[in-house]
Every structure is written in structure tokens, then in C-alpha cells.
Amino acid sequence: MTMAMSIAQFTFFSRATSSSFLNRTNARFNRFTFSTPFSTADATCTRKKNGRLPVLSALELGGVKIARDDVVRDDPTNNVPDSIFSKLGMQLHKRNQHPIGILKNAIYEYFDANYSNKFDKFDDLCPLVSVKQNFDDVLVPADHISRSYNDTYYVDSQTVLRCHTSAHQAELLRDGHTHFLVTGDVYRRDSIDSTHYPVFHQMEGFRVFSPKEWEASGLDGTSYAADDLKKCLEGLARHLFGAVEMRWIDAYFPFTNPSFELEIYFQEKWMEVLGCGVTEQEILRNNGQLDSVAWAFGLGLERLAMVLFDIPDIRLFWSNDERFTSQFTKGKMGIKFKPFSKFPPCFKDMSFWINESFTENNLCEVVRGVAGDLAEEVQLIDNFTNKKGMTSHCYRIAYRSMERSLTDEEINELQRKVREQVETKLNVELR
Ligand code: FA5
Ligand code: MG
């Protein structure tokens, strides 16, 4: 698919900022939404008594056999809930009729056409990676917030569910790859709203240059790579979108310098769709590339697909409802999603005194565990500290199914369970 149209306004915008890599609390600390487990994968299943969709008990990913008990354990070094385990193996990016798969294929097309099939493609690398792969290999500092149990899903103290596809950069470099694309599901404990979800898909791109490539240009290697990177991604944007409003933002990532983010104007807001930059020399040196320079990028596939297919809520990607799935066709990029009937939300408020260890990501996990995707949004609506120094939070939970009407009875039961678990699991005092 080739789009000859040009980007209407591709503004280059500079912001001296500290925003970024996995600094995920900024600007969205009081709203989040959740997911419900379901599965279409063919594997051993245990059906839950509550009628919810089944949770897999074993599956195979990228040649690695994974049992539920390997990933979800009642042990302080583990914080993976069943709702997350049930997403492992779903591999939306490998479904050619799903917006994420359609988008992946369209990006492949762009790279194949423009780089004569030079990019090696990986979309089946196991999402369970070591702490070393996910963080150390890409120079994430020891005290970086993204390493915390509050932000990342740990299987044990040395193993995580990858929180970005950058976790595979080093091994692929060591294996001698110089041009590659890695697509995969990534996992983050995160405050969630219509554009954030605890499981989403990224595509990593990586290109190594040898000295003779930049020497002829008269530029230094870093400037050469940065120019090439922006040209590559602008071309990709034109290929995918034709006309759309975008801007570049200066950013920070531990693994690139300089670093940038690309934002697209969507639903009356600027939405960040990718991070990128010129790879730190140390990563290249550590992995057998001594005199080279490289660029890397990480695309958020859901974010791009939301814009391309007009999908208003990130939860929809996980819907098995035919009214969603039947709207997309293999290889077709021009389709705009037509929302099916919207059922009314039901709001429930709850207040409690927080303690020192309280975090919104933990609350988010409790609500998600009880209500799955029926919890559409959790919003902090009141926050005060009394004279004794005790802080109270009031959260409003919006329950809504995208597929059917919920009964009062059902919602009251969900809310009762949420209250109970918030009290027992988070040790807070309900008001
Ligand atoms: C990273 O993950 C970097 N690894 C990207 C990168 C790669 C930078 C290579 C430089 C070189 P960040 O945390 O910003 O960066 O996430 C990248 C993209 O993933 C975001 O731009 C966004 O499109 C998407 N994203 C991040 N969090 C979520 C979420 N919770 N739900 C959906 N999409 C998300
Ligand atoms: Mg970012």
C-alpha cells in the first residue's frame, strides 16, 4: 500500500524535557481503566466458576513452554495476576484480520519496499525476559522508577514480563543483526485510560550504520543517524496516514541520545505514538559493534491503530465481539471503525484513608482483578489530608460493558468485592 499524499502539518516541535522512558505517572495519575481476561488460544484451560472466560494453564511462546504456575505465584517476588497471565499468548500482532496485525503488516511493507527486505523481522520472541535484558542491557539505571514492582510485572526477582521491545536489542545485536524489527506484547503496571492498557504491543526498529555510510555525507555519525531516523519515521507516517497532524518532541531514554518522541493529534489531544533516538555507544560496544552508529525506535501499535482505524478505546482491541472483529479485513488499511451501541456507564464512589504504601497502580490492579474490562475508568475525585495528617482519597469507578447492559445487581456485587479487596489487599481504612 502506498500513500502518495503528504502530511498536512508535520511540525517540528522542541521541548527541553525530562519526560519519558517509562516515566508513566505524569499527567495521568488519577484516571485508569481495566481489562478482562479471555482467550482464544488453543491450550489447556481452567474454566472459572464465576462464568468468566477461561484462564490458560499452559501455553507455548517463542518456543518456550510456560505454565500458569511459572508466571503467577503467591510469593512476594511475584506480582503477576491471572488477568495478565491470560493475555500471554494472545499475540494480537500475529492476527492478520486484527487491527494490530493489519498495522504490523503495513509497517513491514514500508520497510520491505524502502530497504529492499534488509530488515530482519521477529514477532515471536518470548515476553518473559530477564531483568538484565529488560533493563541492564539497555542501560536503565539501578534506581530507575521503571524497575519498581509498582511499575513492572515481576515473575521473580530476576525475571519480568518485558515492559518494552527494547529488551531484545542487545541479544539481536550480539547475534549479528544490523537491521531488525521486533514486534511483541509488552506489559506494564500503569494508570490506565482510553489510551493506556496494562498489555499493549510495540514494534522496535533498529538500524546500524558503518563509518563509510556517514563519512561520505560530511556529517558526524550521530547527526547522520538522527537525520536518517527522522526521515525513516516521517516516511512511515506518510505511508500509514497520508495527512495527519504531528510533531517531534525532544525526549529522554537511557538507551538513546539524542532522543525524540512523535506525537499525533487525535481526539482533540496530542497523543504520543513512539519513542526513538540514536543508540548509546555503550550498547553497541557491549554487543560487538565497535565503530558503528545506530538508531532505534519503539512504536506503540495500539496508539497508531486507534488513529488509523478510528478506534476510540484501547480496550476494544481485546474484544471478541463480532461487531468489532468483523469490521476489519486482512491487508485493508482504510477502514474506519463504526462504534456499535454504547451501553450506559454506572458510577460507584469509594473513599478510604490511604497508608504509606498505597499506590494507584495497586488500586488499579485490585479493580481489574475483580471487574476486568467492565471497569472503564477509575478516577480520583477527592483528596484531602486532615489535621492528624491522615489522607483520604475518593475514587469514582465507572463500570460499563462495551458489549451488553449490566444489571444493578451485578454492579453492586462487583463494587462489594472491590471494597472488600481494597480493604484486605491494600490495607486501607474504608470510610
Ligand atoms: C519505550 O518503551 C522505549 N523502549 C521506546 C524506544 C525504543 C525509545 C527505542 C528509543 C529507542 P515509552 O515508554 O515511551 O518508550 O513507550 C513507547 C510507546 O509505547 C509510547 O510512545 C506509546 O505509543 C506506547 N505506550 C506506552 N505506554 C502505553 C500503554 N500503557 N498503553 C498503550 N500504549 C502505550
Ligand atoms: Mg514515552
Side-chain angles (χ1 to χ4, degrees):
M1 192 205 70
T2 320
M3 285 224 186
M5 289 177 288
S6 67
I7 297 167
Q9 271 179 286
F10 199 101
T11 38
F12 291 82
F13 183 98
S14 206
R15 180 174 74 181
T17 174
S18 64
S19 98
S20 227
F21 170 55
L22 318 170
N23 180 8
R24 296 169 241 138
T25 32
N26 59 339
R28 50 174 194 271
F29 40 79
N30 57 0
R31 298 177 67 232
F32 31 97
T33 347
F34 309 111
S35 65
T36 208
F38 70 90
S39 172
T40 54
D42 187 19
T44 337
C45 292
T46 28
R47 180 157 292 276
K48 285 202 153 181
K49 279 194 226 75
N50 60 12
R52 276 247 222 103
L53 290 142
V55 174
L56 294 173
S57 58
L59 71 162
E60 199 174 308
L61 284 173
V64 180
K65 206 157 189 152
I66 301 169
R68 176 189 173 276
D69 298 350
D70 296 336
V71 180
V72 183
R73 287 194 330 271
D74 190 12
D75 154 346
T77 68
N78 181 291
N79 62 355
V80 184
D82 268 317
S83 60
I84 289 297
F85 177 71
S86 70
K87 295 288 199 285
L88 279 166
M90 301 283 289
Q91 298 197 302
L92 302 183
H93 58 286
K94 292 178 78 172
R95 300 185 190 176
N96 291 330
Q97 316 237 25
H98 188 282
I100 299 296
I102 297 169
L103 172 58
K104 180 194 79 174
N105 293 332
I107 301 174
Y108 279 3
E109 249 173 53
Y110 169 80
F111 278 92
D112 284 346
N114 288 279
Y115 300 91
S116 35
N117 300 311
K118 245 191 135 177
F119 278 78
D120 301 323
K121 305 184 198 77
F122 301 87
D123 69 357
D124 199 24
L125 300 178
C126 184
L128 265 77
V129 299
S130 64
V131 165
K132 177 176 177 295
Q133 288 172 293
N134 199 74
F135 298 120
D136 303 336
D137 282 353
V138 284
L139 316 179
V140 175
D143 59 353
H144 196 277
I145 176 185
S146 65
R147 290 185 183 247
S148 73
Y149 273 69
N150 190 52
D151 285 47
T152 290
Y153 289 107
Y154 278 80
V155 171
D156 57 46
S157 65
Q158 295 311 313
T159 316
V160 298
L161 291 175
R162 68 182 162 214
C163 67
H164 56 169
T165 44
S166 304
H168 300 288
Q169 284 186 5
E171 62 187 278
L172 291 173
L173 274 172
R174 278 198 300 277
D175 286 348
H177 298 283
T178 55
H179 296 66
F180 56 85
L181 300 171
V182 179
T183 314
D185 35 332
V186 300
Y187 298 79
R188 295 184 188 181
R189 297 182 96 236
D190 201 345
S191 306
I192 308 158
D193 58 27
S194 65
T195 61
H196 294 86
Y197 203 78
V199 187
F200 60 99
H201 296 77
Q202 286 189 340
M203 188 190 291
E204 193 85 0
F206 204 97
R207 178 177 185 183
V208 180
F209 298 92
S210 59
K212 65 175 184 316
E213 291 179 80
W214 72 82
E215 276 163 9
S217 74
L219 292 173
D220 64 276
T222 302
S223 315
Y224 183 82
D227 282 1
D228 188 82
L229 171 65
K230 282 186 169 173
K231 266 192 226 127
C232 168
L233 292 171
E234 286 163 22
L236 174 63
R238 267 194 299 279
H239 173 73
L240 296 176
F241 293 104
V244 73
E245 213 179 328
M246 304 186 194
R247 65 185 187 188
W248 284 110
I249 306 278
D250 285 340
Y252 164 77
F253 296 100
F255 28 90
T256 49
N257 187 16
S259 305
F260 315 98
E261 286 179 335
L262 186 64
E263 295 189 339
I264 294 187
Y265 201 67
F266 180 61
Q267 291 182 342
E268 279 144 41
K269 275 191 239 138
W270 288 104
M271 176 167 71
E272 181 200 315
V273 297
L274 67 87
C276 65
V278 178
T279 300
E280 286 286 359
Q281 277 299 312
E282 194 179 336
I283 297 177
L284 293 171
R285 272 201 312 272
N286 289 348
N287 297 288
Q289 285 290 343
L290 297 184
D291 307 310
S292 320
V293 161
W295 56 235
F297 64 75
L299 304 169
L301 292 180
E302 275 81 353
R303 300 275 182 88
L304 290 170
M306 288 175 82
V307 182
L308 283 163
F309 298 101
D310 251 347
I311 296 171
D313 190 308
I314 198 164
R315 288 177 301 165
L316 279 162
F317 291 106
W318 298 94
S319 176
N320 265 339
D321 192 313
E322 269 208 4
R323 289 168 296 177
F324 177 77
T325 55
S326 68
Q327 292 195 30
F328 305 97
T329 311
K330 180 180 173 187
K332 264 184 110 170
M333 288 291 287
I335 293 168
K336 297 294 173 198
F337 172 66
K338 287 180 225 52
F340 37 92
S341 51
K342 239 191 163 180
F343 299 96
C346 174
F347 299 99
K348 296 280 175 193
D349 293 353
M350 64 184 304
S351 300
F352 45 83
W353 299 108
I354 63 163
N355 55 26
E356 267 159 31
S357 62
F358 175 80
T359 68
E360 291 198 352
N361 283 356
N362 288 343
L363 172 67
C364 153
E365 201 90 302
V366 167
V367 180
R368 186 186 297 126
V370 172
D373 269 2
L374 298 181
E376 177 171 88
E377 190 171 327
V378 177
Q379 206 177 350
L380 180 65
I381 56 169
D382 191 38
N383 176 0
F384 70 88
T385 303
N386 70 9
K387 284 193 196 121
K388 290 190 216 153
M390 292 161 74
T391 299
S392 164
H393 282 183
C394 179
Y395 288 91
R396 175 160 296 164
I397 306 177
Y399 294 99
R400 189 208 313 250
S401 165
M402 287 179 293
E403 290 150 13
R404 62 190 177 85
S405 292
L406 301 175
T407 63
D408 282 348
E409 228 184 353
E410 198 175 358
I411 292 163
N412 289 337
E413 179 58 13
L414 289 174
Q415 181 69 2
R416 189 191 62 73
K417 280 198 190 137
V418 167
R419 289 179 65 85
E420 188 183 285
Q421 293 196 15
V422 161
E423 199 169 27
T424 54
K425 293 193 175 167
L426 305 184
N427 272 317
V428 300
E429 192 187 324
L430 293 176
R431 299 182 56 217

